[in-house]
Amino acid sequence: MKKMVVLLGTIVLLTACSEASDDTSVISPKELNESEKRYLDIGTEYAYVYETSDFPDDLSTLNLDLHAYQGGEKSEERSRQLFGLKAEEGESLFPNEAEELVISLSAFEVNEEESESVSYYYDVSVLLGSEDGYTEYNGSVDVPKIESLASLADGDLRLENTSQNIFIYFEGSEVSSGVSSDQESLNHLINESELVYVFTLTWE
């Protein structure tokens, strides 16, 4: 018999109006109203909702990659691309009907009562939403057993760069959120933690 405990909740497709930003070089997640925030509070730690119209028209690719590190070294076995979107020649990156891009990551703990063992995995979801529904892309990532799990998140996409670390999970205590965009701080975290998972959104 399996018992599943949800640590970080699932995706909710949201329809809040975004708050205009003066800085056009940064794409920020949509501002949510109180009702929508309550939905996210039900077991959900991170879920970013973006307006597809905020992205540059000439954007040709959008990828979500996992970079895994163990003992300060990159694990090629666990690192991989989780999601990829590429524009066809002469076409825009997002389908015309797609209005929202939703990115979320959920973490689960599964207890095997017979063997008293515990396994962990992340469920990564990317959705393209429209008035008619959404197209969903899913990917699961297994996680080694760890004693403590901490996390960081940064949903602001800085267009002067070509990538953004949007989720970081690691074994240890909470640290400054600046590590998500500061490579030196991230390198320090990788060297000091036994396990680090970095989920990176890249674009061209």
Side-chain angles (χ1 to χ4, degrees), residues 16-63:
C17 294
S18 60
E19 186 175 284
S21 172
D22 294 332
D23 188 354
T24 57
S25 67
V26 176
I27 300 177
S28 297
K30 299 172 69 170
E31 293 291 333
L32 310 179
N33 62 38
E34 290 303 316
S35 175
E36 289 160 340
K37 287 180 180 178
R38 283 196 292 272
Y39 280 108
L40 286 181
D41 286 341
I42 303 175
T44 301
E45 184 165 337
Y46 305 123
Y48 297 142
V49 185
Y50 302 96
E51 294 276 8
T52 58
S53 59
D54 289 342
F55 289 84
D57 293 336
D58 60 353
L59 200 68
S60 60
T61 62
L62 186 69
N63 300 318

Side-chain angles (χ1 to χ4, degrees), residues 145-161:
K145 184 177 180 180
I146 56 179
E147 296 299 326
S148 59
L149 178 69
S151 60
L152 296 166
D154 186 354
D156 289 334
L157 308 181
R158 299 162 184 82
L159 297 182
E160 70 270 17
N161 303 321

Side-chain angles (χ1 to χ4, degrees), residues 15 30 49-54 94-101 128-132:
T15 57
K30 299 172 69 170
V49 185
Y50 302 96
E51 294 276 8
T52 58
S53 59
D54 289 342
F94 300 108
N96 292 333
E97 67 274 11
E99 300 173 353
E100 293 179 342
L101 170 68
L128 291 175
S130 67
E131 292 182 354
D132 298 326

Side-chain angles (χ1 to χ4, degrees), residues 29-202:
K30 299 172 69 170
E31 293 291 333
L32 310 179
N33 62 38
E34 290 303 316
S35 175
E36 289 160 340
K37 287 180 180 178
R38 283 196 292 272
Y39 280 108
L40 286 181
D41 286 341
I42 303 175
T44 301
E45 184 165 337
Y46 305 123
Y48 297 142
V49 185
Y50 302 96
E51 294 276 8
T52 58
S53 59
D54 289 342
F55 289 84
D57 293 336
D58 60 353
L59 200 68
S60 60
T61 62
L62 186 69
N63 300 318
L64 181 61
D65 300 317
L66 166 64
H67 303 282
Y69 301 87
Q70 287 186 278
E73 300 292 334
K74 187 168 184 177
S75 171
E76 297 297 341
E77 179 183 358
R78 296 182 179 276
S79 300
R80 66 181 189 272
Q81 184 178 104
L82 300 171
F83 165 81
L85 191 63
K86 183 176 182 179
E88 298 293 338
E89 186 175 355
E91 301 289 337
S92 60
L93 180 64
F94 300 108
N96 292 333
E97 67 274 11
E99 300 173 353
E100 293 179 342
L101 170 68
V102 186
I103 303 174
S104 181
L105 186 148
S106 306
F108 297 90
E109 175 183 311
V110 180
N111 295 317
E112 300 281 356
E113 293 186 355
E114 292 86 353
S115 60
E116 297 184 352
S117 63
V118 180
S119 58
Y120 301 87
Y121 69 93
Y122 293 124
D123 183 43
V124 181
S125 296
V126 179
L127 297 90
L128 291 175
S130 67
E131 292 182 354
D132 298 326
Y134 57 83
T135 302
E136 184 173 4
Y137 306 85
N138 285 311
S140 293
V141 179
D142 65 306
V143 184
K145 184 177 180 180
I146 56 179
E147 296 299 326
S148 59
L149 178 69
S151 60
L152 296 166
D154 186 354
D156 289 334
L157 308 181
R158 299 162 184 82
L159 297 182
E160 70 270 17
N161 303 321
T162 58
S163 65
Q164 172 67 42
N165 300 327
I166 57 174
F167 305 120
I168 300 176
Y169 286 82
F170 59 98
E171 184 175 12
S173 303
E174 296 289 348
V175 298
S176 169
S177 59
V179 72
S180 61
S181 57
D182 181 348
Q183 189 60 45
E184 183 178 352
S185 298
L186 178 56
N187 290 341
H188 177 76
L189 179 66
I190 291 170
N191 291 328
E192 293 297 319
S193 303
E194 178 60 28
L195 174 71
V196 180
Y197 275 23
V198 182
F199 295 83
T200 305
L201 197 68
T202 63

